[in-house]
Amino acid sequence: MSDSSPARPAPVLDVWCELQCPDCRTALDDLRALRARYGDRLELRLRHFPLEKHKHSFAAAQAAEEAVAQGRGWPYAEAVLGRVAELDRKGETLLVEVARELGLDAEEFDTALIDGRHILIVDADQAEGKAIGVTGIPTYVIGGERLDGGKSQEGLRERVEEIADRLLAEQRD
């Protein structure tokens, strides 16, 4: 009989943001650094919190979910965030264009934006965000702690790393 316990799931970092947000674009470097440092030892989850002041953010959230469905959620989110100003100008056309550039099924993106198949996921994320007190974006939630990057991102990555390291150390104990 084996004494080894089953592997515990990786700690989760929920990243509440939207793809038309300049502050979320600024957070990209931190997210890339966290992914590089932890790999699959830390699960990064994109959570949607579209703001009304960004008119394409709700469509962008739906498009990101279509990218997840096609297996390329983070590459898609990063590509769109890298082109925030262009999204302001082009709207949904850019969302489909980025999908095509990444080799995704662009027609399926177009259809998903029309039929609204991902609206419930986006709405549920937004409702959960409001329920836990997300007000500004990006906001990070890890180990039950909420870190608001909407005010300032100064020192946030270090704080996320401290919590992630603690959670990973607790898993080893």
Side-chain angles (χ1 to χ4, degrees), residues 49-89:
F49 203 79
L51 301 177
E52 283 181 21
K53 68 180 180 179
H54 295 138
K55 67 181 179 184
H56 305 298
S57 62
F58 194 76
Q62 293 176 69
E65 281 304 313
E66 180 57 32
V68 169
Q70 293 190 31
R72 302 286 310 277
W74 276 111
Y76 183 82
E78 287 187 13
V80 174
L81 274 171
R83 295 163 74 174
V84 165
E86 205 176 338
L87 180 57
D88 284 344
R89 289 193 315 275

Side-chain angles (χ1 to χ4, degrees), residues 28-42 44 78 157 161:
L28 260 183
D29 288 340
D30 284 345
L31 296 176
R32 285 187 184 118
L34 289 166
R35 291 218 321 268
R37 176 173 174 169
Y38 294 103
D40 57 11
R41 294 182 307 133
L42 178 67
L44 262 73
E78 287 187 13
R157 186 172 88 210
E161 288 173 351

